Amino acid sequence: METINSISNMTELSANWRREGLSIALVPTMGYFHEGHLALMRMARTEADRVVVSLFVNPSQFGPGEDLERYPRDLERDARLARDQGVDCLFCPSAEEMYLPGFQTWISVERLSQGLCGASRPGHFRGVATVVAKLFNITCPDIAVFGQKDFQQLRIIQRMVKDLNMPIDIMAHPIVREPDGLAMSSRNSYLSKEERRSAVSLYQALMRAKEMVADGIRSGQDIIQAVREHILSYANTEIDYIFLGDPEELKEYREVHGKTLLALAVWVGETRLIDNMLLVQ
Ligand code: PAF
């Protein structure tokens, strides 16, 4: 596996592969790999001749006071794990090269970025869409693989690719969970022992909502109330949002009908966790 830092070297390697007729899959990440990332890499490995994993803690998607500085990093371990998954290239650009002085071009996927995480993290999805578009331009992939834990992000990237005619297949990988159901996330490493016990409340609440729907309950208000009560019964939890709605357009429903997504963001101590589940597929 090659590790590349410079943008021109990455572009050259991708261009060479394409000239040889090889297909490329990109897995965009911010590093500190866990089993969820490795599953994305394995999916990419089965879909293309060459796999690039980008590792870049993107400053433009962090707001003031967020965790950019303390975001966990371990490049040596990440490189070892990526190599073990058969990744061909780990692309780790610098923030200085990604955002040259005078940088002022942004991609904003407007309506889809407004609610859910976009409401409490203004500018976040503008940073995500912009860096992903840059990574697409640099690595020229045929396929890019994203996890479904960041459901809104996935929808935004799908929309961007469609709206801007980017010839890239976006593949979604199901959420990878710990044995007790907690969705894997690099940010889980922030949790204390006690917070880790509370963190499982998100998954439990999603499962509780799924059971309610299976029992014939349709009222969004009743489901959201049950989810809220379950999460708040755990120590150190504070709800950012509970969204029940259409998984395509991310519009809220009053009642469960057709495909229905339940998505959550919850503060557990100082750590903001997200999770989601399709209540009706
Ligand atoms: O999901 C992430 O890790 C990031 O938002 C992404 C897609 C790598 C963009 O920085």
Side-chain angles (χ1 to χ4, degrees), residues 28-30 56 58 61 128 131-132 146 150 153:
T29 80
M30 299 207 299
F56 179 59
N58 172 35
Q61 70 187 74
V128 170
V131 82
V132 170
F146 293 83
D150 298 285
Q153 166 173 286

Side-chain angles (χ1 to χ4, degrees), residues 95-116:
E96 289 70 26
E97 209 192 351
M98 286 293 273
Y99 296 102
L100 293 173
F103 186 93
Q104 54 186 294
T105 306
W106 299 99
I107 293 181
S108 176
V109 180
E110 299 197 349
R111 200 195 52 72
L112 281 175
S113 299
Q114 278 165 18
L116 292 87

Side-chain angles (χ1 to χ4, degrees), residues 25-83:
L26 171 68
V27 183
T29 80
M30 299 207 299
Y32 210 68
F33 297 151
H34 50 66
E35 192 45 47
H37 293 112
L38 305 187
L40 303 184
M41 295 176 203
R42 287 195 290 272
M43 184 182 231
R45 186 66 285 164
T46 62
E47 296 293 331
D49 300 316
R50 294 289 179 268
V51 176
V52 177
V53 172
S54 62
L55 192 170
F56 179 59
V57 183
N58 172 35
S60 75
Q61 70 187 74
F62 289 79
E66 290 190 351
D67 56 344
L68 172 61
E69 301 309 328
R70 71 175 186 128
Y71 196 84
R73 292 160 168 91
D74 190 341
L75 179 56
E76 228 174 86
R77 178 176 164 275
D78 283 351
R80 201 168 358 99
L81 290 171
R83 186 178 305 114

Side-chain angles (χ1 to χ4, degrees), residues 202-245:
L202 281 80
Y203 174 69
Q204 289 175 348
L206 291 169
M207 289 302 286
R208 170 87 193 97
K210 204 167 180 154
E211 280 164 22
M212 289 174 80
V213 173
D215 289 345
I217 296 168
R218 291 286 173 271
S219 156
Q221 214 179 359
D222 291 353
I223 294 169
I224 288 172
Q225 185 57 20
V227 165
R228 180 182 307 281
E229 279 171 17
H230 185 83
I231 292 170
L232 294 179
S233 71
Y234 279 79
N236 286 318
T237 55
E238 193 186 315
I239 289 165
D240 179 357
Y241 68 78
I242 303 172
F243 168 89
L244 183 141

Side-chain angles (χ1 to χ4, degrees), residues 152-276:
Q152 187 177 13
Q153 166 173 286
L154 173 66
R155 281 287 174 268
I156 286 169
I157 301 302
Q158 287 170 327
R159 189 74 242 178
M160 173 182 81
V161 162
K162 196 170 180 176
D163 289 352
L164 299 182
N165 308 96
M166 295 172 161
I168 301 168
D169 261 357
I170 303 300
M171 301 196 64
H173 193 285
I175 298 176
V176 179
R177 298 182 179 281
E178 299 286 354
D180 66 356
L182 174 65
M184 290 199 184
S185 163
S186 306
R187 289 190 168 100
N188 292 348
S189 64
Y190 297 153
L191 299 169
S192 69
K193 267 198 178 142
E194 199 198 350
E195 288 166 351
R196 175 63 185 80
R197 280 193 288 274
S198 294
V200 77
S201 64
L202 281 80
Y203 174 69
Q204 289 175 348
L206 291 169
M207 289 302 286
R208 170 87 193 97
K210 204 167 180 154
E211 280 164 22
M212 289 174 80
V213 173
D215 289 345
I217 296 168
R218 291 286 173 271
S219 156
Q221 214 179 359
D222 291 353
I223 294 169
I224 288 172
Q225 185 57 20
V227 165
R228 180 182 307 281
E229 279 171 17
H230 185 83
I231 292 170
L232 294 179
S233 71
Y234 279 79
N236 286 318
T237 55
E238 193 186 315
I239 289 165
D240 179 357
Y241 68 78
I242 303 172
F243 168 89
L244 183 141
D246 158 25
E248 301 301 325
E249 295 299 323
L250 304 183
K251 289 193 173 146
E252 248 160 345
Y253 288 158
R254 282 170 191 270
E255 301 257 309
V256 172
H257 63 274
K259 281 188 182 177
T260 304
L261 173 76
L262 184 62
L264 314 171
V266 175
W267 286 96
V268 179
E270 299 289 298
T271 306
R272 187 174 173 281
L273 300 177
I274 57 172
D275 202 346
N276 68 79

